[in-house]
Amino acid sequence: MTPRGKQRAAMDRLGIHPKAADWCWIGKIPQPPADVLQTAGNPRLRPAMRPPLGMIGVVLGAPFVPLIVLLSLLAEAEEAVKRALDTKEEKERRRAKKADDKRRDAAVTRQGLDQVFDGDWHGDAGQFLLRWYSHSTHHERMLFATEEGIVLAAPPKRVSVGREKRLQVVARVPASEATLVDPFSGEFETRILLIRFRDGSWLRVDTEELRSDLHMHVLRQPLPQS
C-alpha cells in the first residue's frame, strides 16, 4: 500500500475525514523552569528511545555507511560539474534560489521560528507543549486539519514500523482555541507550520512533506477580517 493509501486507511479507521493531513514533528523541547515543571506534574519532555527493532536496523546498516558516504561524495562531485557547465540562465536561477533561501532563513530567525514555541510556558502553546509526550512517546504526529479544528494522532508508544496501523487520537484542539498558520503566507517553500492559539502563543511543527497538503489547505483559507 502506498503512503497515501496507508493514511486514508488510518483516517477511515479513526473516523476522521480531514480537509488535509500530514505527518509532522516538533523540535527539542527546552527545559522549563522548575516551578512550571512541578506544577505540570513533571511531564515527559522527550520522545522514547528508538525501539529494539529500529536499533537492529541501525546496527545492520552500519557496514554500509562508508558506501553511503562515498556515494554522497560522488553525487556532490557530479553536482559541482553540473554547476560548472550551467548556462547563464541556470546560474541565475541558482543564485536566485540561494538568495531566496537566505531570505527565508533570515525570516525564520527574525520571527523567532528557530524555536519550538513562543517561549511563554504559561501561555496556551506552552501548556500544550508540556503535555506533548505525555499523550504519546512517539516522535511524530499525524496532524489532521478538520472542520472542527486540529486533531493529532500517534501510536501510543514509539515504533519503527507500522505507525499508521497503531494510530490513536492523542489530542484535539477546537477551531475556537487554535488555528493552523503558514507564518510566511506561502512566500517560501518550507515544512514549517504554526499551531497558533487564541491567546497569541504558538507552537511550531515541521511537516514530513515540503509545502505539504496542510500548507496548501492553510493558504486556501480566507484571510482573517481586520
Side-chain angles (χ1 to χ4, degrees):
M1 186 182 291
T2 65
R4 291 291 185 189
K6 290 179 180 179
Q7 285 189 19
R8 285 194 293 271
M11 294 174 196
D12 290 341
R13 180 172 57 80
L14 294 173
I16 299 173
H17 301 288
K19 295 174 179 285
D22 194 23
W23 283 99
C24 67
W25 61 86
I26 62 171
K28 182 179 179 180
I29 299 177
Q31 184 66 27
D35 60 326
V36 170
L37 199 60
Q38 185 175 8
T39 300
N42 296 303
R44 185 185 189 103
L45 300 177
R46 301 288 181 270
M49 297 290 290
R50 190 188 298 268
L53 182 60
M55 294 303 295
I56 291 172
V58 171
V59 172
L60 292 177
F64 298 99
V65 170
L67 177 60
I68 294 171
V69 172
L70 175 61
L71 292 174
S72 177
L73 291 174
L74 289 173
E76 289 179 7
E78 181 183 8
E79 185 66 20
V81 171
K82 287 182 178 179
R83 285 198 298 268
L85 298 175
D86 273 350
T87 64
K88 182 179 179 180
E89 291 76 14
E90 288 170 333
K91 288 179 180 179
E92 285 295 333
R93 281 197 295 270
R94 284 183 184 276
R95 278 195 289 267
K97 184 180 184 307
K98 189 174 181 179
D100 194 56
D101 290 345
K102 285 184 177 180
R103 289 195 305 112
R104 177 204 62 207
D105 294 344
V108 167
T109 302
R110 185 170 59 252
Q111 297 185 41
L113 300 179
D114 48 352
Q115 305 299 316
V116 70
F117 81 122
D118 62 283
D120 181 6
W121 287 108
H122 299 288
D124 291 341
Q127 292 295 302
F128 189 78
L129 185 61
L130 285 169
R131 302 190 298 273
W132 188 269
Y133 291 116
S134 299
H135 295 149
S136 165
T137 60
H138 193 60
H139 59 298
E140 301 166 307
R141 299 286 185 273
M142 174 68 81
L143 192 157
F144 301 104
T146 71
E147 189 71 38
E148 294 76 25
I150 297 166
V151 179
L152 293 167
K157 298 180 180 180
R158 184 164 182 169
V159 296
S160 297
V161 296
R163 57 184 182 174
E164 286 87 359
K165 293 180 180 179
R166 295 172 172 82
L167 276 183
Q168 296 180 10
V169 173
V170 295
R172 294 180 186 271
V173 187
S176 59
E177 295 184 9
T179 55
L180 206 57
V181 176
D182 178 345
F184 308 115
S185 301
E187 180 181 359
F188 303 114
E189 189 177 58
T190 73
R191 302 179 190 277
I192 300 173
L193 284 173
L194 302 183
I195 299 177
R196 190 180 296 280
F197 291 81
R198 61 183 173 186
D199 65 350
S201 61
W202 53 264
L203 169 65
R204 168 180 164 168
V205 298
D206 285 51
T207 55
E208 193 167 67
E209 293 185 8
L210 192 64
R211 187 166 281 179
S212 67
D213 286 346
L214 288 168
H215 288 83
M216 302 312 296
H217 164 70
V218 168
L219 293 176
R220 287 194 296 268
Q221 303 309 300
L223 294 174
Q225 297 294 323
S226 57

